[in-house]
Amino acid sequence: DVKVTQSSRYLVKRTGEKVFLECVQDMDHENMFWYRQDPGLGLRLIYFSYDVKMKEKGDIPEGYSVSREKKERFSLILESASTNQTSMYLCATLGDREEDEQFFGPGTRLTVL
Amino acid sequence: AQSVSQHNHHVILSEAASLELGCNYSYGGTVNLFWYVQYPGQHLQLLLKYFSGDPLVKGIKGFEAEFIKSKFSFNLRKPSVQWSDTAEYFCAVSPLNSGYSTLTFGKGTMLLVSP
């Protein structure tokens, strides 16, 4: 079974803080993704990575950056957290076969005060 | 860029009622199609997927979906819902041959099944 873990289920930070969200997968998948999930908006792609040290912007990258130093770990960074970044953040991983589907972690609910 | 439209934001049904959740996408090329489900307090998980072949796809827990290429639709169905089907359902599309296997999600449909 694919296992995707995220460092925290709940996180509370203050405006202006630097925030790190960590995601680790144990399936040796090349591709990893960060989404945010908001009520009524579904899931929106922030960044993704198809290889170590490679990253691509998704649909809403503003205010975020990512780091992929090791294959199994993909970090989402909020350089200076703002209240509009309060959200549920989901990490996902994907194998290389065309018929593969994305596997999701449990999510981190971030509140920025 | 592709987009996904889910017809209903909220659906309320009684147990044993039939379910159909609409999903339409816009993209000019070939796509892979997915339905994901998120039960209360749980992580997002795959319900079913379509890649090629038979356009009627069967998934877990008695769900099925039909891909109608001419209508750009991938509606989710279940003949008789249960209280345990209460969840949020997301339709998603992934273009083939796009270079990267990114998913575009619809905004989700919250299904509430009353006992």
Side-chain angles (χ1 to χ4, degrees):
Chain A
D1 273 355
V2 175
K3 196 164 185 184
V4 183
T5 58
Q6 296 183 227
S7 49
S8 308
R9 287 303 300 270
Y10 300 94
L11 208 52
V12 180
K13 296 292 182 181
R14 296 203 175 276
T15 302
E17 280 193 79
K18 189 168 186 176
V19 182
F20 292 87
L21 303 182
E22 304 285 336
C23 176
V24 178
Q25 52 108 352
D26 67 355
M27 281 300 292
D28 202 35
H29 284 173
E30 301 286 346
N31 308 289
M32 297 186 75
F33 306 82
W34 275 106
Y35 297 88
R36 62 178 284 175
Q37 182 181 8
D38 299 288
L41 296 178
L43 278 76
R44 294 177 291 167
L45 182 64
I46 304 171
Y47 267 97
F48 63 101
S49 169
Y50 55 91
D51 202 352
V52 175
K53 296 194 185 295
M54 306 302 289
K55 60 184 180 183
E56 293 287 337
K57 292 180 179 179
D59 299 319
I60 52 164
E62 297 78 20
Y64 303 94
S65 62
V66 289
S67 172
R68 183 104 181 262
E69 295 296 318
K70 293 184 178 181
K71 191 175 186 178
E72 67 272 17
R73 189 179 295 269
F74 191 36
S75 303
L76 180 69
I77 303 155
L78 287 65
E79 294 290 341
S80 178
S82 63
T83 55
N84 63 13
Q85 292 178 309
T86 291
S87 186
M88 172 69 88
Y89 289 88
L90 299 179
C91 174
T93 181
L94 174 71
D96 285 332
R97 298 177 308 167
E98 201 169 79
E99 65 271 24
D100 282 339
E101 74 267 17
Q102 291 189 17
F103 291 92
F104 286 82
T108 295
R109 185 165 294 282
L110 173 67
T111 301
V112 183
L113 302 175
Chain B
Q2 64 274 14
S3 66
V4 179
S5 174
Q6 292 185 235
H7 303 171
N8 307 97
H9 289 163
H10 295 89
V11 173
I12 301 174
L13 294 173
S14 299
E15 272 194 318
S18 64
L19 170 71
E20 181 160 4
L21 300 183
C23 173
N24 287 90
Y25 68 94
S26 65
Y27 183 71
T30 306
V31 294
N32 294 334
L33 296 156
F34 306 81
W35 275 97
Y36 280 85
V37 61
Q38 190 171 36
Y39 298 103
Q42 295 189 27
H43 64 276
L44 209 65
Q45 57 187 284
L46 183 72
L47 204 52
L48 48 78
K49 60 185 179 182
Y50 171 82
F51 288 92
S52 62
D54 189 344
L56 185 62
V57 181
K58 295 197 184 295
I60 60 172
K61 303 187 181 185
F63 286 90
E64 65 179 30
E66 185 176 12
F67 172 46
I68 303 179
K69 192 173 182 180
S70 60
K71 295 184 178 180
F72 298 90
S73 70
F74 191 53
N75 292 353
L76 181 71
R77 299 194 294 247
K78 186 172 184 179
S80 176
V81 294
Q82 300 172 311
W83 176 78
S84 58
D85 293 324
T86 293
E88 190 160 19
Y89 293 81
F90 295 94
C91 182
V93 61
S94 176
L96 288 178
N97 304 318
S98 64
Y100 305 117
S101 297
T102 59
L103 279 176
T104 298
F105 283 85
K107 293 182 177 180
T109 299
M110 182 69 73
L111 171 66
L112 176 62
V113 180
S114 58

